[in-house]
Amino acid sequence: MALRVANRFIRSDSGSFTLETSLVYPTVMLIVCSIVFFSLFLYQKVSLYHTAAAVAERSAYSWDNSGKDWETGNVAPQRNDGLYWRTGSDGISGMFAFGASGGVRKIELPARSADEAGAGLPERKLYKAAEELPQQLKGTITYRHGIVDREVTARLGQNGMLPFLASKWTRSWMETEVSSVVTEPVELIRNVDFVRTFVVRVKDMISKPKAEQTVPVPTENVTKKLAFGRAEEAAEYIRSITGGVKITVSPPSGRRQLDALDADGLVHEVKLGYTSKSKDIESQIIKDLELMRSGSQVKGVVWHFFRKEKDGKIGPSKPLRQELEKRGILVVIHQ
């Protein structure tokens, strides 16, 4: 009788589903939870890198004027850093001071206010970026002035989300570092124009034989004011000094032909003669703002105004210039 009951129990498949489920279900749940937490951890890592990249790039782009809006690049009227801030307040003097940090300025995160820290101009610009960051982020934001090159580096870190058991086997701390070079295309163009004019004045101060040995005689009359007969000729001149290329893009408002887009992501728009505010000009401004806000390809916009050979007129009208400066678009008038 007992043997018969034992054989019946062995051959019966009753309860097999419950038994198999109790063995497989925990394993499946463990795999699913691991994938979920790994995805969250990876998302936090990517989000941290994106935040560091935004801090470095926006700080470098707005470095030439602490009055710029950190997100849009708009410049508030009558707000600037003074005429000689690059030589006196940009950290370059620290490179020549004994025991200094070699032109490096750094702030720790989470940061105090710039007023409490008694910071100089470079530190105040870094604190401005730090104010936009969440308080749970730790790390440093550094500005380095190397005379030839300048860069802003954001090094951020935070604790990632891991299960309580996984934290015993591995570290939840994550960190990333992103650097962005400080560029000033408008200042570069001013310096080129200055050297272009200054060489001629130096040449006139010395004798002709010595001048020909010191400064090669240019093939064209450089004392002549910049003037062009066609807008395309002025655009070619801009592309030659900026290394930009002529392309067509498609912002949300419609197609936009860019006279020059350089390697730093700056758009150079060329206008010939006197230019007033019109519907077509307003449409171009709107498209340029859309390109800047997208941030994918365009980092900033510069409008160049050249003299027209026919009538000798140059520059934007007062309403147009005010609109461009209000929107954070740089204006350069080539006399």
Side-chain angles (χ1 to χ4, degrees):
M1 181 68 179
L3 183 60
R4 186 182 302 172
V5 174
N7 290 334
R8 185 183 303 170
F9 177 77
I10 294 174
R11 296 176 180 177
S12 175
D13 58 357
S14 177
S16 61
F17 179 78
T18 303
L19 180 61
E20 293 171 358
T21 302
S22 64
L23 294 175
V24 175
Y25 184 75
T27 304
V28 174
M29 284 298 298
L30 179 62
I31 294 174
V32 171
C33 291
S34 299
I35 293 174
V36 170
F37 278 103
F38 176 76
S39 301
L40 289 174
F41 188 85
L42 187 60
Y43 169 77
Q44 289 180 323
K45 180 74 174 179
V46 174
S47 178
L48 182 65
Y49 179 85
H50 178 269
T51 302
V55 169
E57 290 183 1
R58 292 179 180 177
S59 298
Y61 172 71
S62 60
W63 196 263
D64 60 339
N65 191 341
S66 59
K68 276 186 178 180
D69 185 90
W70 191 74
E71 293 185 356
T72 64
N74 292 341
V75 181
Q78 306 302 325
R79 291 191 60 184
N80 54 70
D81 299 325
L83 184 59
Y84 301 107
W85 68 270
R86 292 176 181 83
T87 55
S89 305
D90 197 34
I92 188 173
S93 58
M95 298 186 61
F96 308 103
F98 179 76
S101 56
V104 176
R105 302 297 179 89
K106 180 171 64 174
I107 64 171
E108 300 286 341
L109 300 175
R112 300 173 294 170
S113 66
D115 296 333
E116 293 178 4
L121 182 60
E123 286 84 354
R124 289 203 302 270
K125 294 178 180 180
L126 297 178
Y127 277 115
K128 186 176 182 180
E131 292 174 356
E132 305 294 333
L133 296 176
Q135 289 296 318
Q136 69 268 19
L137 293 181
K138 298 181 181 179
T140 60
I141 305 178
T142 306
Y143 169 68
R144 181 184 63 83
H145 197 311
I147 299 183
V148 177
D149 63 327
R150 297 176 294 166
E151 67 177 9
V152 177
T153 302
R155 185 174 185 178
L156 305 181
Q158 67 177 3
N159 286 314
M161 182 182 297
L162 288 177
F164 66 96
L165 290 177
S167 61
K168 297 181 179 180
W169 304 327
T170 183
R171 294 180 59 193
S172 63
W173 179 258
M174 61 178 68
E175 63 181 15
T176 186
E177 181 176 324
V178 180
S179 298
S180 184
V181 178
V182 178
T183 58
E184 294 186 75
V186 177
E187 187 65 19
L188 174 62
I189 294 172
R190 288 173 181 165
N191 291 335
V192 170
D193 285 345
F194 171 76
V195 172
R196 179 175 172 272
T197 304
F198 184 73
V199 167
V200 178
R201 294 184 179 274
V202 172
K203 175 178 172 294
D204 293 339
M205 293 179 183
I206 56 181
S207 62
K208 185 175 181 180
K210 187 179 292 185
E212 293 177 351
Q213 295 177 1
T214 308
V215 182
V217 179
T219 57
E220 60 179 357
N221 185 12
V222 293
T223 59
K224 183 180 178 181
K225 292 183 178 179
L226 275 176
F228 297 95
R230 297 184 301 111
E232 183 59 29
E233 295 176 357
E236 285 289 345
Y237 170 76
I238 285 296
R239 286 193 286 270
S240 67
I241 65 175
T242 61
V245 294
K246 182 179 181 181
I247 64 170
T248 301
V249 294
S250 299
S253 298
R255 291 169 60 86
R256 176 81 165 101
Q257 181 173 290
L258 307 181
D259 291 331
L261 178 64
D262 63 22
D264 295 321
L266 289 168
V267 172
H268 300 271
E269 174 68 17
V270 174
K271 298 298 179 186
L272 189 61
Y274 181 77
T275 307
S276 59
K277 188 176 179 181
S278 63
K279 291 185 178 180
D280 184 54
I281 294 295
E282 290 178 350
S283 175
Q284 294 179 11
I285 294 175
I286 292 174
K287 294 176 182 178
D288 289 347
L289 291 175
E290 291 174 348
L291 291 172
M292 283 195 295
R293 287 168 182 168
S294 66
S296 58
Q297 187 178 13
V298 175
K299 306 300 181 183
V301 179
V302 183
W303 281 36
H304 302 266
F305 294 86
F306 290 91
R307 190 179 307 278
K308 194 172 184 179
E309 284 185 348
K310 186 176 181 180
D311 53 16
K313 294 183 178 180
I314 185 176
S317 63
K318 185 176 180 180
L320 175 57
R321 182 162 190 166
Q322 291 176 346
E323 181 69 15
L324 292 173
E325 293 176 347
K326 177 182 177 182
R327 299 296 185 179
I329 297 176
L330 300 177
V331 176
V332 178
I333 301 176
H334 299 264
Q335 296 291 347

